[in-house]
């Protein structure tokens, strides 16, 4: 017993340790993929750029160096393929062997230019100024509103829409599932007769074992169309659909765990309350439920855990759009869905890969805080 | 008029005949002890008076149970009201998972009383009556589970007293307690007697002798002998009673 407890604890600590070691790595690197450089003309006063600024430059949303603290000068954006706008094919050589030199040259010639190219093209006597890039900051990662990990030249790791998406979906799910689940549990444990209970309990337990893809399909063919029609949405795929689906998925767990807790309340508690002249409902609300509060908290925690961590089903019904959701009727995307969808295409060890680990850390922190909060609330309530 | 009276009570748990034609009376402000070997029906009999047996499936009751002359199984009787009038203390201390204060206030709250001052006065007076006030007055907001077993049992008594019942049912209230706590409970029963009619189940012959005015000896669902405690203990008429109180069986 003690050994297995020890092994379990060590395993958990190791998982957390490695997750965070991988996840924190991203804050030690700039947002430009390794092996590439950003360079400007030597006369440029700008010393460094962060990932948002880079993106805005290349999206031509920032068009003047003044905005970035330089002198007033148009920005000329340069990618390697743009070289043909400046030089003929002969000048570059048959095998592009003069390309690096020409990049250096064009950069020196054009004062307002910013260039993005592989560092292998960096010649020895480079005539431009290679910009040192700012590392991705925690604030940018958490607060950034754009999640575009494959963007060139600078990947955009703004986790805010994903964090918000996760919160939305989980909050809807738990707000629906907790009262409903608790009500069902109270019915089963305190009101239903033995036959009903013995029939319903195993059925509900069975529901907990259905694979989540199946729930996902159910959501897609039932919940999504219903939402679309009732609220006249362009697409029923939305945070609300995800929340409802997750609530349905979390219900069996919440019901089973809290029903067990309610059922295990000693009869002495009920009798003591009834013997005081309390009604059955008063006894349930004031004695049985508070007495089972730790079990009910466990149920809530498991429910929240399922809601926050669920991947497939949510991916299927939320519309999978990594944008900041303005209402629960809009498509969104959660952290686990993002990890599941993108891990396959992210090169191992790359920036994107690390970013997904960081998302994992954020999810972990969110789940732990939700659990702590649930525990705190129930503790406060118990002595009321 | 007797405070409590049962007439020809028969009780069946399904096919099992647990109480067989019990007739018994108790005067106001007396303590009646119910004694007898395990399984003879003492608890079942006690639970008639606040209709706790109603909670069990398949129970059938015939005969009459009168409290203040009124048949409590009559159609007009509100069980909630009856239970306010007839309080109960259980064998094992069973405080609620609440603070000490809220435990005592519970009976008032479920009866719709919200007046803070009234509740506070009642909590204090009930704790005083249960001889617990001095020990808990500084920690009223602490969880009731932090008290010792004996204190918890006195808390349960205070809880029962808070709604001001006139009858107090006690099912082996001291059997789970140490000797010191037990003697405190016994003293308490003595003082409570002037305001309440008490029926107490006990396995402890000395205790029955010390606290009760009347004693009823039950055996296999029948009331074998009922009389003043000193007569039962000094001069029982029935041989079974004599064997039981002298410890020859049971
Ligand atoms: N809920 C029940 N269903 C069926 N039979 C019961 C039930 N409760 C009690 N009995 C039976 O009724 C008889 C009397 O039980 P009761 O609890 O009144 O005995 P008791 O005198 O209080 O015993 P003890 O001293 O052990 O507490 C016992 O034979 C018991 O098995
Ligand atoms: Mg008993």
């Amino acid at each position: 017993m003690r050994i297995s407890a020890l092994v379990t604890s060590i395993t958990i600590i190791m998982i957390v340790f490695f997750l965070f070691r991988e996840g924190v790595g991203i804050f030690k690197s700039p947002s430009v993929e390794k092996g590439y450089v950003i360079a400007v003309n030597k006369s440029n006063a700008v010393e460094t750029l962060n990932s948002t600024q880079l993106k805005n430059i290349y999206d031509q949303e920032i068009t003047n160096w003044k905005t970035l603290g330089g002198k007033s000068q148009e920005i000329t954006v340069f990618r390697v393929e743009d070289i043909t706008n400046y030089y003929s094919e002969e000048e570059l050589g048959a095998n592009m062997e003069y390309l690096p030199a020409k990049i250096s040259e064009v950069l020196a010639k054009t004062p307002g230019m910013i260039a993005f190219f592989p560092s292998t093209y960096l010649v020895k006597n480079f005539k431009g100024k290679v910009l040192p890039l700012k590392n991705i900051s925690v604030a940018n990662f958490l607060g950034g509103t754009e999640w575009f990990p494959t963007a060139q030249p600078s990947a955009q790791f703004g986790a805010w829409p994903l964090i918000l998406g996760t919160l939305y979906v989980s909050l809807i799910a738990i707000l629906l599932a907790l009262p409903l689940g608790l009500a069902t549990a109270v019915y089963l444990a305190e009101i239903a007769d033995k036959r009903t209970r013995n029939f319903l309990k195993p059925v509900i337990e069975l529901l907990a074992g259905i694979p989540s893809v199946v729930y996902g399909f159910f959501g897609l063919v039932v919940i999504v169309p219903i939402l679309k029609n009732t609220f006249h949405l362009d697409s029923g795929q939305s945070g609300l659909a995800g929340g409802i689906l997750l609530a349905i998925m979390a219900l069996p767990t919440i019901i089973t765990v809290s029903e067990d807790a309610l059922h295990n309340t000693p009869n002495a508690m009920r009798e003591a309350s009834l013997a005081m002249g309390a009604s059955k409902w008063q006894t349930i609300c004031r004695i049985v439920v508070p007495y089972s509060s730790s079990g009910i908290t466990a149920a809530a925690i498991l429910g929240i855990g399922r809601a926050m961590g669920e991947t497939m089903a949510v991916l299927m019904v939320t519309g999978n759009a990594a944008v900041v959701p303005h209402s629960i009727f809009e498509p969104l995307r959660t952290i686990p869905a993002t990890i599941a969808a993108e891990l396959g295409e992210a090169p191992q060890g790359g920036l994107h890969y690390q970013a997904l680990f960081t998302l994992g850390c954020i999810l972990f922190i969110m789940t732990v805080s939700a659990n702590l909060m649930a525990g705190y609330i129930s503790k406060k309530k118990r002595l009321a | 008029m007797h405070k409590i009276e049962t007439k020809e009570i028969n009780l069946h748990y399904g096919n099992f005949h647990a109480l067989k034609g019990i007739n018994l009376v108790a005067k106001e402000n007396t303590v009646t002890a119910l004694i007898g070997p395990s399984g003879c029906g003492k608890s079942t009999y006690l639970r008639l008076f606040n209709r706790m047996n109603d909670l069990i499936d398949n129970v059938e009751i015939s005969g009459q149970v009168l409290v203040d002359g009124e048949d409590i199984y009559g159609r007009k009787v509100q069980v909630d009201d009856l239970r306010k009038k007839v309080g109960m203390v259980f064998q094992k201390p069973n405080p609620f998972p609440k603070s000490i204060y809220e435990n005592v206030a519970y009976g008032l709250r479920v009866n719709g009383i919200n007046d803070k001052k009234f509740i506070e006065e009642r909590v204090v007076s009930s704790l005083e009556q249960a001889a617990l006030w001095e020990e808990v007055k500084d920690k009223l907001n602490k969880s009731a589970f932090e008290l010792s077993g004996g204190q918890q049992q006195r808390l349960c008594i205070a809880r029962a007293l808070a709604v001001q019942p006139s009858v107090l049912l006690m099912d082996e209230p001291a059997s789970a307690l140490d000797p010191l706590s037990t003697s405190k409970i016994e003293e308490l029963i003595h003082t409570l007697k002037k305001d309440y009619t008490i029926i107490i189940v006990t396995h402890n012959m000395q205790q029955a002798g010390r606290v009760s005015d009347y004693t009823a000896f039950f055996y296999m669902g029948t009331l074998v002998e009922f009389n003043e405690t000193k007569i039962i203990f000094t001069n029982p008429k029935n041989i079974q009673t004599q064997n039981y109180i002298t410890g020859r069986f049971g």
Side-chain angles (χ1 to χ4, degrees):
Chain A
M1 281 289 269
R2 191 172 295 171
I3 289 174
S4 74
L6 195 71
V7 170
T8 318
S9 318
I10 290 178
T11 317
I12 292 172
I13 291 171
M14 295 246 290
I15 290 173
V16 173
F17 175 74
F18 281 110
L19 178 68
F20 275 82
R21 209 189 54 173
E22 285 289 325
V24 168
I26 193 152
F27 300 119
K28 294 195 191 103
S29 45
S31 59
V32 172
E33 194 73 56
K34 235 188 237 122
Y36 288 84
V37 290
I38 295 283
V40 293
N41 187 279
K42 273 210 166 106
S43 68
N44 202 319
V46 173
E47 292 297 337
T48 178
L49 293 171
N50 68 26
S51 80
T52 324
Q53 289 165 334
L54 267 176
K55 174 189 167 276
N56 286 338
I57 292 172
Y58 271 79
D59 284 355
Q60 315 221 308
E61 270 159 35
I62 297 179
T63 53
N64 198 304
W65 286 108
K66 214 168 84 180
T67 331
L68 301 163
K71 18 183 205 249
S72 175
Q73 192 168 47
E74 282 282 307
I75 298 178
T76 316
V77 170
F78 176 86
R79 291 185 177 85
V80 177
E81 57 267 31
D82 297 332
I83 196 79
T84 48
N85 301 343
Y86 299 89
Y87 300 99
S88 67
E89 277 178 31
E90 292 96 77
E91 282 171 305
L92 293 170
N95 297 318
M96 297 288 222
E97 59 265 34
Y98 305 125
L99 177 63
K102 293 297 179 197
I103 292 175
S104 169
E105 203 178 297
V106 75
L107 201 57
K109 268 200 319 208
T110 333
M113 181 174 276
I114 179 163
F116 166 68
F117 56 92
S119 46
T120 44
Y121 294 164
L122 206 56
V123 289
K124 255 193 213 112
N125 51 350
F126 185 61
K127 283 182 255 157
K129 178 169 80 171
V130 174
L131 275 192
L133 291 166
K134 267 193 193 151
N135 285 349
I136 296 170
S137 76
V138 177
N140 264 341
F141 195 94
L142 294 178
T145 56
E146 273 181 86
W147 180 262
F148 196 176
T150 51
Q152 293 276 27
S154 173
Q156 297 301 305
F157 298 119
W160 184 238
L162 310 178
I163 296 174
L164 215 58
T166 309
L167 282 181
Y168 266 40
V169 172
S170 316
L171 217 63
I172 296 170
I174 211 69
L175 286 182
L176 288 176
L178 206 56
L180 213 63
L182 196 56
T184 315
V186 165
Y187 169 76
L188 282 180
E190 299 290 318
I191 298 162
D193 57 40
K194 262 209 193 90
R195 285 224 334 263
T196 321
R197 178 173 186 271
N198 288 346
F199 169 74
L200 280 178
K201 191 101 195 286
V203 171
I204 290 171
E205 275 163 9
L206 208 67
L207 287 179
I210 294 178
S212 63
V213 227
V214 177
Y215 278 107
F217 273 119
F218 168 76
L220 213 50
V221 297
V222 180
I223 300 175
V224 169
I226 289 179
L227 286 183
K228 185 176 166 169
N229 294 334
T230 21
F231 297 107
H232 307 290
L233 305 172
D234 300 334
S235 145
Q237 300 196 334
S238 57
L240 185 59
I244 294 175
L245 186 64
L246 276 182
I248 295 173
M249 292 174 69
L251 267 177
T253 318
I254 293 182
I255 294 172
T256 330
V257 176
S258 46
E259 201 271 349
D260 279 339
L262 293 168
H263 193 71
N264 286 337
T265 304
N267 239 335
M269 286 296 140
R270 290 189 194 91
E271 290 196 336
S273 170
L274 293 170
M276 304 287 310
S279 67
K280 184 163 184 159
W281 275 111
Q282 286 172 324
T283 303
I284 291 173
C285 297
R286 292 171 188 238
I287 303 297
V288 181
V289 170
Y291 191 89
S292 335
S293 63
S294 57
I296 293 170
T297 313
I301 287 174
L302 288 173
I304 295 172
R306 174 127 208 209
M308 282 193 166
E310 173 51 43
T311 314
M312 267 334 284
V314 183
L315 192 64
M316 289 164 80
V317 300
T318 48
N320 203 17
V323 291
V324 176
H326 298 289
S327 84
I328 55 175
F329 299 112
E330 276 173 36
L332 48 73
R333 196 200 233 188
T334 64
I335 291 178
T338 305
I339 297 177
E342 292 178 4
L343 195 60
E345 56 197 50
Q348 194 170 0
L351 214 50
H352 187 186
Y353 187 80
Q354 268 184 332
L356 294 181
F357 266 91
T358 313
L359 282 186
C361 294
I362 294 176
L363 183 65
F364 177 81
I365 293 169
M366 283 167 74
T367 322
V368 169
S369 354
N371 291 357
L372 290 178
M373 224 148 70
Y376 178 75
I377 292 170
S378 87
K379 201 172 199 171
K380 278 224 123 169
K381 284 236 149 147
R382 210 168 312 166
L383 271 184
Chain B
M1 188 178 67
H2 297 294
K3 181 73 187 173
I4 286 176
E5 184 167 4
T6 62
K7 291 183 179 163
E8 275 307 313
I9 280 292
N10 280 286
L11 185 144
H12 289 262
Y13 288 117
N15 292 328
F16 179 70
H17 199 174
L19 294 176
K20 301 170 184 164
I22 312 287
N23 291 295
L24 191 147
V25 295
K27 274 190 265 181
E28 192 152 13
N29 300 338
T30 59
V31 177
T32 305
L34 310 181
I35 61 170
S38 190
C40 67
K42 306 179 295 291
S43 298
T44 304
Y45 183 70
L46 190 74
R47 290 158 62 96
L48 279 176
F49 296 104
N50 61 348
R51 294 188 56 168
M52 286 306 269
N53 290 328
D54 293 14
L55 303 175
I56 300 164
D57 298 333
N58 277 325
V59 173
E60 230 171 274
I61 303 165
S62 68
Q64 274 190 317
V65 182
L66 307 177
V67 175
D68 292 327
E70 187 190 13
D71 183 357
I72 61 167
Y73 285 83
R75 238 181 249 143
K76 274 185 291 177
V77 173
Q78 291 282 315
V79 179
D80 305 358
D81 294 337
L82 169 73
R83 287 177 182 159
K84 261 165 261 164
K85 194 154 90 177
V86 183
M88 187 164 204
V89 178
F90 297 80
Q91 177 171 5
K92 271 223 223 109
N94 56 355
F96 297 132
K98 294 175 183 293
S99 67
I100 293 170
Y101 185 93
E102 284 305 321
N103 259 278
V104 184
Y106 183 77
L108 301 169
R109 293 208 196 281
V110 295
N111 285 304
I113 295 169
N114 288 317
D115 183 347
K116 244 180 144 177
K117 218 170 142 235
F118 179 85
I119 292 180
E120 194 172 329
E121 282 170 13
R122 202 51 94 61
V123 168
V124 174
S125 70
S126 305
L127 284 169
E128 279 169 350
Q129 276 194 78
L132 189 61
W133 174 246
E134 286 302 318
E135 290 156 67
V136 300
K137 65 181 178 198
D138 297 325
K139 47 180 177 182
L140 292 175
N141 291 319
K142 288 272 165 61
S143 164
F145 293 141
E146 285 177 24
L147 298 176
S148 73
Q151 288 174 325
Q152 286 186 13
Q153 192 64 308
R154 276 179 282 148
L155 180 67
C156 291
I157 295 175
R159 181 175 71 184
L161 298 181
V163 287
Q164 299 198 325
S166 55
V167 178
L168 212 49
L169 310 172
M170 300 178 139
D171 195 346
E172 303 184 48
S175 67
L177 305 181
D178 61 278
L180 195 69
S181 304
T182 302
S183 75
K184 276 198 179 148
I185 300 277
E186 287 179 9
E187 270 171 48
L188 187 56
I189 292 172
H190 248 300
T191 46
L192 290 176
K193 195 167 76 172
K194 37 181 212 320
D195 301 310
Y196 303 89
T197 307
I198 297 172
I199 305 186
I200 176 172
V201 172
T202 177
H203 269 127
N204 181 329
M205 291 308 109
Q206 286 82 28
Q207 186 172 73
R210 282 192 298 263
V211 302
S212 69
D213 307 305
Y214 295 88
T215 296
F217 172 60
F218 282 74
Y219 185 65
M220 288 173 66
T222 54
L223 175 58
V224 176
E225 191 165 353
F226 173 59
N227 214 326
E228 280 182 44
T229 297
K230 44 178 194 285
I231 297 176
I232 293 272
F233 278 85
T234 53
N235 193 12
K237 302 204 166 48
N238 188 294
I239 183 75
Q240 278 174 323
T241 315
Q242 191 173 7
N243 287 345
Y244 184 72
I245 58 170
T246 52
R248 246 167 273 169
F249 80 98

